[in-house]
Amino acid sequence: MKYLLIFLVVLVIFIISVTLGAHNDQIITFNYLLAQGEFRISTLLAVLFGAGFVLGWAICGLFWLRVRVSLGNAQRKVKRLQQQIEQGNAAVTSANVPASRE
């Protein structure tokens, strides 16, 4: 449900940007870091929206990847500790068993 809601919000933003872009055919001068260029507002709006969308997903993906790697390391550590506990319990159990009298 959460992903559907996010998809709908992105879709609405995209539709609004396309609608605004279709009605704005003005040419503007856009000053960016190294130079400047003349672009139509609709093209500039679409390019900046797309770049922001890709950049946002890339940043979120990097954080997600970091968390997944951390989770994998923690699960491996827990598994190793559980094996050590089981080995310790097995050693204690075998030491407490009385010798049989024949």
Side-chain angles (χ1 to χ4, degrees), residues 80-94:
R80 200 176 326 126
L81 289 172
Q82 284 176 342
Q83 289 174 349
Q84 288 177 358
I85 289 172
E86 289 172 2
Q87 288 173 355
N89 287 342
V92 168
T93 304
S94 64

Side-chain angles (χ1 to χ4, degrees), residues 56-67:
W57 273 103
I59 290 171
C60 288
L62 289 174
F63 281 115
W64 179 81
L65 184 62
R66 192 175 82 179
V67 167

Side-chain angles (χ1 to χ4, degrees), residues 19-91:
T19 304
L20 289 175
H23 295 292
N24 291 316
D25 287 335
Q26 287 180 320
I27 294 180
I28 61 168
T29 301
F30 181 68
N31 294 322
Y32 45 97
L33 190 58
L34 300 174
Q36 70 180 18
E38 292 192 6
F39 302 99
R40 288 186 348 186
I41 288 180
S42 59
T43 304
L44 189 60
L45 182 65
V47 168
L48 292 178
F49 177 77
F53 187 77
V54 168
L55 183 64
W57 273 103
I59 290 171
C60 288
L62 289 174
F63 281 115
W64 179 81
L65 184 62
R66 192 175 82 179
V67 167
R68 291 295 297 177
V69 168
S70 176
L71 178 63
N73 289 338
Q75 286 176 338
R76 254 191 320 275
K77 192 180 288 186
V78 166
K79 193 173 187 178
R80 200 176 326 126
L81 289 172
Q82 284 176 342
Q83 289 174 349
Q84 288 177 358
I85 289 172
E86 289 172 2
Q87 288 173 355
N89 287 342

